[in-house]
Amino acid sequence: MKINKYNSIVTNLNQTKQTAKEVEKETAKPAAKENVQVSISKEAQALLDADKATFSARVDSIKSAIQNGEYEVDASKISQGLVKKLQKQKEI
């Protein structure tokens, strides 16, 4: 019969599709993550802690100025920053 003639072709085609799906699943799996350890020297840690302390002091001074109503916003700095940002966006 003619149906049996095409049956093997359809079977081969289905097997090919199944194999392609399996390959796609295997390649889509994320690679195993490697364990990476980083160590920071004592000097670097001291610099980091000093930076945190300086930043924290700056934030505290700004907070207190805002609470006391003494904080002044420099509109020219803000506008200059906005202009620079817009110019960079136009370049991209």
Side-chain angles (χ1 to χ4, degrees):
M1 295 179 81
K2 292 183 180 180
I3 295 175
N4 289 336
K5 181 179 176 183
Y6 295 108
N7 193 19
S8 64
I9 294 172
V10 171
T11 302
N12 287 339
L13 182 61
N14 286 337
Q15 288 175 347
T16 304
K17 286 182 181 178
Q18 183 64 30
T19 304
K21 285 181 182 178
E22 290 172 2
V23 168
E24 186 177 311
K25 285 181 184 178
E26 287 296 319
T27 56
K29 289 182 181 178
K33 293 183 180 178
E34 296 180 25
N35 289 335
V36 177
Q37 291 183 341
V38 177
S39 60
I40 299 175
S41 68
K42 291 179 182 178
E43 294 83 8
Q45 187 64 44
L47 288 172
L48 183 61
D49 292 340
D51 254 2
K52 285 181 183 177
T54 303
F55 180 75
S56 183
R58 176 80 173 129
V59 169
D60 289 340
S61 69
I62 292 173
K63 279 184 182 180
S64 65
I66 291 171
Q67 289 173 350
N68 296 333
E70 299 169 352
Y71 186 76
E72 293 183 23
V73 177
D74 189 356
S76 64
K77 282 187 178 180
I78 294 173
S79 62
Q80 288 172 358
L82 288 172
V83 168
K84 285 181 184 179
K85 183 76 169 179
L86 290 172
Q87 287 173 342
K88 284 183 182 180
Q89 286 179 351
K90 284 185 178 181
E91 290 174 5
I92 296 173

